[in-house]
Amino acid sequence: MSGRLYASILQRASSYTQTLSSSAQLQYSHLVVSHPFQLRPAQHCHFSSWGTTRTDQRCCRGEESGTRSQSGRHLSTRQDLDFQLGQVQINSILRSNEQSVSVPEFDGRGLSAVRKFESNQLAANTPNEDRRSAATCLQSKGMLFGVFDGHGGWACAQAVSERLLYYTAIAMMPKQGLEELEMCMEHGRPVPPILQWYKHHADFNYRDSASLYIDHLRVFWQDLLDSEEHDEGMCPPDALDRAFKRLDADISLEAQVPLSNDLMKSTAIQVAFAGCTACVAHIGTDGIHMANAGDCRAVLGVQEEDGSWSALPLSKDHNTLNQAEVERIIAQHPPSERDTVITDDRLLGVLMPLRAFGDVRFKWSRELQQSILNSLESGVDLDSLNLYHYTLPNYLTPPYLDVAPDITYHKLRPKDRFLILGTDGLWDELRSEDAVRLVGEHLSGIHLQAPVSPSEKQLKLGQMHEVLQKRRARASPVRDTNAATHLIRHALGTGEYGELCQERLASMLALPEDLARMYRDDITATVVYLNSDLAKPHYS
């Protein structure tokens, strides 16, 4: 497919949108979650998706007898809950998705800025809606790491985790390399590898959509070849920005145009109507470029001269706690909508992240949405595709959502030791400072304790006991070799004094699948250890 054919498709899709009937309406249902069962000492999680699943709705209605849903899932009762997990079971659950990869210091092209990385995931949704990616750029320099938090299902996060790193790597390639790719495609020769992926054995791929993804990646590099400015390739920040925006445009397009088979069409529609946030790092020998859209987060672990640890944020959360982000979105709509664009700390009262891939319900006209859903075969059950009929409130001047990433740059210093990438399920449970301290102490094996302050010396006996309990908790032995697992264990199992509470951890992990999402979110954490020796010549 050439760049000109792609332009023709875009024009066709635009014309298609304009001729749609304006009478289509979608029914909206937005539920407030509550449940009589109170898990102690666990906390309720903050939902990042649009609403609840149908199982959540049954739980909210207080069905107490053990029943099965239409999908065959057992709906738990108070009597069914058994939180007595042993240490072996806890470790098995926590470590089942962990990954640890050592990176060669010299890969034939130069020194690596990354020594190793460790990653892990723990699901609350069934299936997990988080995804992660890691790869070395083979046609340019540096490594790419990403975490992706899906909502409205896992489809969008899956597609973005497979594709976004390719788009970024292609944008950084020089024109000569892109010409070689195109020649190989034209003559049916093997295409030089673009990325060296680091996959977990449980990672899933959209195999049936691979040809579509390759076709649109090819159209992307053809457009870059047509550009007079793309000689040496884009710098990392421009490549990340272009990749985010182009992939989101392709996701939107693929759901609108005719595709070769029904399965591919259904997948494309699922991806577009679901959504995901993304936080991607390009790490090179000069520094770290971060691209963030949504409420995932990147935090740098810095070791100060006295051995203590500090957290340096490399991204900003795009949610209603970010007032600049709220004002940015409000400014894009008429003054009459100022009180309706953001309500109940959500976009249009529904969506928590304020930037995301997919989520075409917040981007397309209502008429286009209805037409695309109607284009599915009449026998297709929308519920089976996780597509539900509802109309967003006060949906007057779309689009309300975009995926334009915030790009930041940090020049590496000798004291920069590691980077933590995490989905919001991690940050719901841990402050950035605590996460850095946990990984730093895990790395060094040293638990620093501040001297007793003059004010603490005046404490009463009971208060001093509490201080000592917190200090003892800080010095507890490490149970995991993988730092990402260490983070997840502490995120879910930290007790009143900061100690690891076995009862709390067991309770959180023993929750049945129909209840787990009500008390915690999917968690993904990737810890990237930096080669700080590279920065020393610049600071000597």
Side-chain angles (χ1 to χ4, degrees):
M1 188 188 297
S2 68
R4 284 151 291 282
L5 178 56
Y6 185 78
S8 174
I9 291 175
L10 280 176
Q11 184 177 7
R12 187 152 39 95
S14 176
S15 174
Y16 180 54
T17 302
Q18 293 172 6
T19 60
L20 294 172
S21 168
S22 61
S23 61
Q25 293 292 326
L26 300 176
Q27 296 180 352
Y28 168 74
S29 174
H30 180 56
L31 299 177
V32 178
V33 176
S34 61
H35 195 277
F37 175 73
Q38 295 297 315
L39 177 66
R40 293 188 174 89
Q43 301 172 353
H44 285 71
C45 63
H46 303 286
F47 291 103
S48 60
S49 57
W50 308 328
T52 63
T53 64
R54 278 174 160 65
T55 302
D56 295 332
Q57 296 171 22
R58 296 189 191 96
C59 292
C60 295
R61 291 195 290 266
E63 297 180 2
E64 299 246 347
S65 60
T67 61
R68 288 193 176 271
S69 67
Q70 293 178 355
S71 63
R73 288 169 35 161
H74 183 78
L75 301 182
S76 301
T77 68
R78 298 185 190 185
Q79 289 76 21
D80 293 331
L81 301 178
D82 178 10
F83 296 141
Q84 303 306 310
L85 292 183
Q87 188 62 51
V88 173
Q89 293 170 294
I90 289 173
N91 289 341
S92 177
I93 294 170
L94 287 177
R95 296 171 182 171
S96 62
N97 293 310
E98 66 181 12
Q99 180 185 29
S100 182
V101 176
S102 295
V103 179
E105 184 177 4
F106 185 78
D107 64 0
R109 297 175 299 156
L111 290 171
S112 173
V114 175
R115 295 192 299 109
K116 67 175 182 177
F117 69 91
E118 296 171 337
S119 184
N120 201 356
Q121 292 185 301
L122 180 70
N125 290 289
T126 306
N128 189 357
E129 295 183 353
D130 278 4
R131 294 294 185 271
R132 57 185 170 178
S133 297
T136 295
C137 298
L138 297 178
Q139 305 295 330
S140 58
K141 293 184 178 180
M143 292 186 69
L144 290 165
F145 296 90
V147 293
F148 311 94
D149 188 351
H151 48 261
W154 51 268
C156 190
Q158 177 63 43
V160 173
S161 70
E162 290 183 44
R163 305 175 69 182
L164 183 58
L165 271 57
Y166 274 120
Y167 278 62
T168 305
I170 286 292
M172 290 191 292
M173 284 178 61
K175 181 169 286 190
Q176 181 179 354
L178 297 179
E179 289 172 344
E180 183 180 358
L181 293 181
E182 182 60 22
M183 287 291 291
C184 290
M185 292 289 286
E186 284 184 1
H187 294 90
R189 299 198 303 264
V191 176
I194 298 167
L195 294 171
Q196 177 185 336
W197 286 91
Y198 303 97
K199 296 281 190 178
H200 186 266
H201 64 83
D203 286 350
F204 169 79
N205 285 315
Y206 272 139
R207 299 187 184 280
D208 294 306
S209 299
S211 60
L212 174 67
Y213 294 170
I214 292 170
D215 285 345
H216 275 188
L217 185 67
R218 184 182 181 188
V219 171
F220 181 38
W221 79 55
Q222 288 173 340
D223 286 352
L224 293 175
L225 283 171
D226 288 341
S227 170
E228 297 179 357
E229 301 174 357
H230 195 86
D231 289 330
E232 301 302 320
M234 294 183 182
C235 59
D238 290 345
L240 287 163
D241 183 74
R242 184 73 170 270
F244 271 62
K245 294 174 181 177
R246 179 58 178 256
L247 176 56
D248 195 51
D250 282 355
I251 287 171
S252 177
L253 175 67
E254 289 157 8
Q256 298 178 53
V257 299
L259 295 176
S260 59
N261 62 66
D262 291 341
L263 178 59
M264 193 180 293
K265 179 68 173 179
S266 296
T267 299
I269 291 177
Q270 278 184 285
V271 170
F273 277 81
C276 87
T277 63
C279 190
V280 175
H282 176 271
I283 304 179
T285 54
D286 58 335
I288 302 172
H289 289 92
M290 287 301 316
N292 185 56
D295 51 9
C296 296
R297 190 183 304 170
V299 180
L300 191 68
V302 179
Q303 188 169 31
E304 306 296 347
E305 292 184 2
D306 63 0
S308 64
W309 295 94
S310 62
L312 179 63
L314 296 188
S315 67
K316 295 180 180 178
D317 298 350
H318 297 135
N319 54 33
T320 56
L321 296 178
N322 183 339
Q323 191 58 38
E325 180 70 2
V326 170
E327 292 300 327
R328 180 188 73 86
I329 293 176
I330 290 175
Q332 296 175 350
H333 300 277
S336 59
E337 295 186 61
R338 184 171 184 87
D339 295 330
T340 60
V341 172
I342 305 290
T343 58
D344 297 327
D345 292 328
R346 295 170 183 250
L347 184 63
L348 297 177
V350 177
L351 188 66
M352 288 187 71
L354 301 182
R355 301 191 198 190
F357 282 94
D359 280 323
V360 293
R361 289 198 193 277
F362 297 83
K363 299 173 181 178
W364 289 355
S365 69
R366 285 178 175 171
E367 294 75 29
L368 176 57
Q369 294 179 41
Q370 188 63 59
S371 173
I372 296 302
L373 293 177
N374 290 342
S375 71
L376 288 168
E377 292 294 328
S378 58
V380 174
D381 178 17
L382 293 184
D383 283 7
S384 69
L385 299 181
N386 286 325
L387 299 176
Y388 307 111
H389 286 283
Y390 63 85
T391 300
L392 290 170
N394 301 300
Y395 197 72
L396 305 173
T397 55
Y400 288 87
L401 185 71
D402 64 51
V403 78
D406 268 341
I407 310 288
T408 60
Y409 171 71
H410 177 79
K411 185 175 180 62
L412 285 176
R413 307 165 298 180
K415 62 181 182 178
D416 300 329
R417 303 298 302 279
F418 54 82
L419 176 69
I420 303 173
L421 298 174
T423 55
D424 72 332
L426 178 69
W427 308 115
D428 285 344
E429 309 293 343
L430 282 179
R431 299 184 311 151
S432 298
E433 296 79 7
D434 292 333
V436 165
R437 175 183 59 79
L438 285 166
V439 174
E441 293 177 351
H442 183 274
L443 174 63
S444 66
I446 299 173
H447 303 269
L448 294 176
Q449 302 282 15
V452 177
S453 65
S455 61
E456 288 178 327
K457 291 179 180 179
Q458 307 300 318
L459 295 176
K460 295 180 180 179
L461 183 60
Q463 295 170 317
M464 179 58 72
H465 174 73
E466 183 174 339
V467 170
L468 293 176
Q469 286 286 84
K470 292 181 178 179
R471 286 170 171 265
R472 179 182 297 176
R474 290 275 305 265
S476 61
V478 172
R479 298 172 183 262
D480 304 291
T481 58
N482 185 299
T485 307
H486 183 64
L487 280 176
I488 295 173
R489 184 186 296 272
H490 279 263
L492 297 182
T494 299
E496 182 180 358
Y497 299 114
E499 81 284 7
L500 267 175
C501 175
Q502 182 81 0
E503 181 182 2
R504 173 182 167 83
L505 184 59
S507 298
M508 293 294 272
L509 295 179
L511 284 167
E513 64 181 45
D514 57 303
L515 290 183
R517 185 60 184 89
M518 300 183 71
Y519 296 93
R520 57 182 174 86
D521 197 358
D522 299 327
I523 299 176
T524 296
T526 297
V527 181
V528 183
Y529 295 95
L530 304 170
N531 186 357
S532 55
D533 291 339
L534 283 174
K536 289 180 179 178
H538 301 291
Y539 288 86
S540 59

